[in-house]
Amino acid sequence: MSNIELLFDEAVQKHQAGDLTAAAIGYAAVLKENSRHSDAWHFAGLIAHQMGNADDALQQIKYAIEIDPTNPEYFSNLASIFNSMGEQESALVSADKAIDLSPEFAPAFFQRGIALGKQNKNSYALQSLYTSSKFGFSEVKVLAETARIKQFQGDFLGAIEDIRRALAIDDDNPQAFFQLSQFVNLGEYQFTETQLDSLRNLLELPNPNLTSSNLLNVAMAVHLEKEQEFSGAFEHYTHAAEATHALGETQGRRFNEDQRQSVIDDLIEFFTPETIERFAKNGNPSAAPVFIVGMPRSGTTLVQQMLSRHSAVEAVGELDSLDDLIKSRFGDGNQVRLREMFKTLDDFWIRAGAQGYIDQLTRYTSFDDLGEGGGEDFAMRFIDKMPANYFHIGFITMLFPNARIINCIRDPRDVCLSCYFQSFAAENLQFITSKFEYLTTIYRNYARLMNHWRSVAPDSVFDVCYESLTEAPEAIIKPVVKHLGLDWESSVLEFHNSDTPVSTASAVQVRRPIYTTSTKKWKRYEPQLAKFFEMIGPEIADYESAKQ
């Protein structure tokens, strides 16, 4: 065996043992000796992906493909990375290329199924997933994914059955316990004593995998919460958050409080009524785009589901389009202060940016051309439910002066607690909600920025209080429909019967009629949260004053 192959084998062994840093050094040593070692590029890309560096991962695997374009595994793993980035079209292209090279390559069918599922093409997604199982892909992984799709479709019984089948095959499966816990949370399922014994045994294992620790602790926390053992539940939620934070640190994630503060400062300084009025003259007059914003877990999915039952409303999901558009021009305030970048704003960008967003929006609607058909008198409304677009309300009012923005508010104690307890699919979001000190900074700056938007764009922003909505749905949602310029339709109140796929953290909850059991959930954990409540005392007072 040559020296290069010895280096490569040693790196692979370290990779398999979970020592990613040592493995990365090993692959780099191989590539130093032979820059055309395709497997070394491929595995280096996988490590970059595991460490949260998706851009590096893509580039390195593309290098492997340039050297050896006949290996289906390279294309399949490229599809996996695209899926993790939310780029499903690119994932499908890569998966299909792998299948062209090897028509029975099971991992490619699996990635194809994931991509189709995220595009809400559920019947095709299930077909691809079942094909991957037929060709030998892990049945447990396939069942986890089919259960996820069925859950988002509202087929709870089918989802639960798939998860139970997965546990029957592998009773040490953290993902399956976590998925079942989502149904336990709403009383749709109850862990068996055998499952609880397995869950306890897994939690007692030494040196657990951080991802597994998060999933298992959440599952146990949900069970204990249903048993009203709140002290024990909070302890397990805390362990889950600690695992999330530790994993994020290994991936190089950091929460920069100063940057978050300076971004808000710069937005407030730049977006004055005069500046908005000056640039809005070049905006797109369409009233078709509707933006639902707010903190995560504030009721954004519920509001979307209700409004999407209206005959003139179409929900397009959580789009990155606006964020990508703005950051591609102005950055995120990390390298250069936004106040400096905003000086480059001009009328041409407003016109081009509005059209660019409309072009992206068209991809997700049932209309072929909103650029021409989405003018000021266009009757349809399209909901972009990206909560973090609250950062971009100033730009929204410039790009689309007639667009309507719905800001969902919820008791800051409940919304922050729910964020802390939640296992978000977005790794960065999960990381920054894993500590209450981070949540304090995030919520206080969100509240400060929203107060500014209300003052500079009072006609555009409409607040919807989650607690009020659950207490009096019709009384609260009727003015929202009017705010969108639409006539009232009673079907809005039948949101739980909607066939709109839901792929957010609220997928299970919004398939049920309005309920109030999540209101004042913070009271169960008041002893553990006293210090946190002191930190957001002014925001709590503002919320209670506004709700009265």
Side-chain angles (χ1 to χ4, degrees):
M1 184 178 292
S2 68
N3 182 55
I4 289 178
E5 291 310 310
L6 283 172
L7 285 172
F8 180 72
D9 286 349
E10 289 175 2
V12 170
Q13 290 173 16
K14 291 171 182 175
H15 196 166
Q16 292 172 339
D19 190 347
L20 301 186
T21 301
I25 293 171
Y27 295 136
V30 172
L31 292 168
K32 185 176 181 180
E33 295 290 326
N34 178 8
S35 63
R36 293 191 61 77
H37 195 295
S38 61
D39 282 342
W41 279 118
H42 174 228
F43 285 123
L46 295 183
I47 284 183
H49 179 49
Q50 288 174 273
M51 297 181 75
N53 301 320
D55 291 337
D56 289 346
L58 287 177
Q59 190 60 57
Q60 288 163 344
I61 294 180
K62 286 178 180 178
Y63 285 150
I65 290 172
E66 286 179 11
I67 297 165
D68 181 7
T70 66
N71 191 322
E73 186 175 5
Y74 298 171
F75 286 99
S76 181
N77 282 329
L78 193 65
S80 175
I81 295 168
F82 279 128
N83 269 328
S84 72
M85 298 172 69
E87 298 183 16
Q88 274 68 60
E89 288 295 339
S90 296
L92 285 172
V93 170
S94 298
D96 287 344
K97 179 61 177 177
I99 293 168
D100 287 343
L101 290 168
S102 180
E104 296 185 3
F105 194 68
F109 281 99
F110 182 74
Q111 293 302 328
R112 189 172 186 275
I114 291 176
L116 290 167
K118 290 185 176 180
Q119 291 182 330
N120 298 325
K121 299 174 181 177
N122 294 312
S123 61
Y124 295 108
L126 291 171
Q127 183 180 350
S128 284
L129 292 167
Y130 293 142
T131 301
S132 74
S133 180
K134 172 186 171 183
F135 290 144
F137 198 77
S138 166
E139 188 174 359
V140 169
K141 291 182 179 179
V142 169
L143 287 167
E145 193 62 26
T146 58
R148 186 189 70 83
I149 290 173
K150 290 175 183 179
Q151 172 185 324
F152 294 159
Q153 287 179 303
D155 179 9
F156 293 169
L157 291 178
I160 291 170
E161 180 58 29
D162 282 357
I163 302 166
R164 293 182 65 182
R165 286 175 57 198
L167 274 176
I169 298 169
D170 176 13
D171 62 0
D172 294 342
N173 185 338
Q175 179 66 31
F177 281 110
F178 171 77
Q179 286 181 286
L180 276 181
S181 73
Q182 297 177 71
F183 298 101
V184 171
N185 186 45
L186 289 180
E188 300 285 345
Y189 186 79
Q190 185 174 356
F191 284 123
T192 67
E193 285 303 317
T194 300
Q195 289 169 345
L196 287 172
D197 287 341
S198 296
L199 182 54
R200 294 185 187 101
N201 290 336
L202 289 170
L203 285 166
E204 291 174 1
L205 292 175
N207 304 316
N209 171 280
L210 291 172
T211 300
S212 296
S213 177
N214 171 270
L215 297 174
L216 294 168
N217 274 291
V218 169
M220 180 56 77
V222 169
H223 166 71
L224 292 174
E225 192 170 59
K226 295 301 288 185
E227 297 295 314
Q228 299 190 24
E229 298 179 24
F230 300 125
S231 178
F234 191 85
E235 182 179 350
H236 281 284
Y237 277 127
T238 299
H239 290 326
E242 289 170 345
T244 290
H245 193 267
L247 179 62
E249 288 192 323
T250 66
Q251 297 174 337
R253 299 183 189 279
R254 297 288 184 272
F255 179 70
N256 191 327
E257 182 176 353
D258 291 338
Q259 181 196 0
R260 180 64 63 107
Q261 193 79 16
S262 66
V263 164
I264 303 301
D265 289 343
D266 290 354
L267 290 170
I268 290 175
E269 177 184 301
F270 179 76
F271 286 98
T272 64
E274 293 76 21
T275 301
I276 291 174
E277 182 180 5
R278 181 252 184 273
F279 285 104
K281 294 175 182 178
N282 290 281
N284 188 310
S286 174
V290 175
F291 299 87
I292 298 181
V293 305
M295 283 283 291
R297 311 296 294 156
S298 62
T300 55
T301 302
L302 173 59
V303 173
Q304 173 196 256
Q305 286 297 97
M306 296 182 79
L307 293 176
S308 68
R309 291 290 291 171
H310 195 287
S311 62
V313 176
E314 188 172 320
V316 298
E318 297 184 353
L319 303 185
D320 293 319
S321 306
L322 186 65
D323 189 64
D324 291 343
L325 174 73
I326 293 168
K327 287 183 178 177
S328 67
R329 172 64 182 265
F330 303 103
D332 61 4
N334 186 27
Q335 301 297 327
V336 181
R337 284 287 296 262
L338 290 180
R339 63 177 58 175
E340 296 301 319
M341 296 303 297
F342 287 158
K343 293 176 182 178
T344 68
L345 178 63
D346 55 35
D347 295 333
F348 174 80
W349 185 87
I350 293 293
R351 289 190 293 270
Q355 187 57 51
Y357 178 82
I358 288 290
D359 291 343
Q360 287 292 311
L361 185 64
T362 303
R363 294 174 54 195
Y364 301 95
T365 73
S366 57
F367 288 79
D368 294 330
D369 188 1
L370 288 182
E372 295 181 3
E376 192 171 1
D377 298 326
F378 191 60
M380 288 293 293
R381 302 288 184 265
F382 301 97
I383 297 178
D384 179 347
K385 190 200 76 71
M386 175 56 75
N389 276 338
Y390 73 81
F391 282 102
H392 304 316
I393 288 176
F395 278 115
I396 292 172
T397 57
M398 291 177 175
L399 295 167
F400 301 103
N402 295 316
R404 289 295 174 258
I405 302 159
I406 302 165
N407 173 50
C408 296
I409 58 175
R410 183 182 178 188
D411 188 323
R413 291 163 291 197
D414 274 332
V415 77
C416 290
L417 183 69
S418 185
C419 285
Y420 183 71
F421 285 176
Q422 183 64 48
S423 289
F424 292 103
E427 292 182 353
N428 192 55
L429 180 57
Q430 190 172 349
F431 175 76
I432 66 174
T433 59
S434 63
K435 285 186 175 292
F436 278 110
E437 50 263 45
Y438 297 171
L439 282 165
T440 299
T441 298
I442 292 166
Y443 191 89
R444 298 189 79 171
N445 279 296
Y446 155 74
R448 187 162 68 99
L449 186 58
M450 285 310 308
N451 283 336
H452 176 71
W453 296 139
R454 293 185 192 100
S455 69
V456 299
D459 296 332
S460 297
V461 180
F462 193 99
D463 289 327
V464 175
C465 176
Y466 172 80
E467 288 82 5
S468 298
L469 181 62
T470 61
E471 292 166 5
E474 183 171 349
I476 299 301
I477 204 67
K478 261 190 173 180
V480 180
V481 173
K482 183 178 180 181
H483 178 64
L484 302 188
L486 302 174
D487 293 330
W488 172 248
E489 293 180 3
S490 59
S491 58
V492 169
L493 299 175
E494 301 169 4
F495 69 95
H496 54 286
N497 295 322
S498 172
D499 56 2
T500 302
V502 182
S503 57
T504 68
S506 303
V508 176
Q509 291 94 323
V510 296
R511 297 298 184 187
R512 305 181 73 197
I514 289 283
Y515 61 94
T516 60
T517 53
S518 292
T519 301
K520 296 188 183 300
K521 186 174 180 177
W522 60 266
K523 283 184 171 292
R524 305 172 185 175
Y525 302 100
E526 197 166 5
Q528 294 91 346
L529 298 173
K531 183 178 179 181
F532 170 63
F533 292 164
E534 288 180 11
M535 291 189 289
I536 59 169
E539 287 70 33
I540 293 172
D542 287 346
Y543 161 79
E544 291 181 335
S545 175
K547 190 174 184 298
Q548 290 177 352

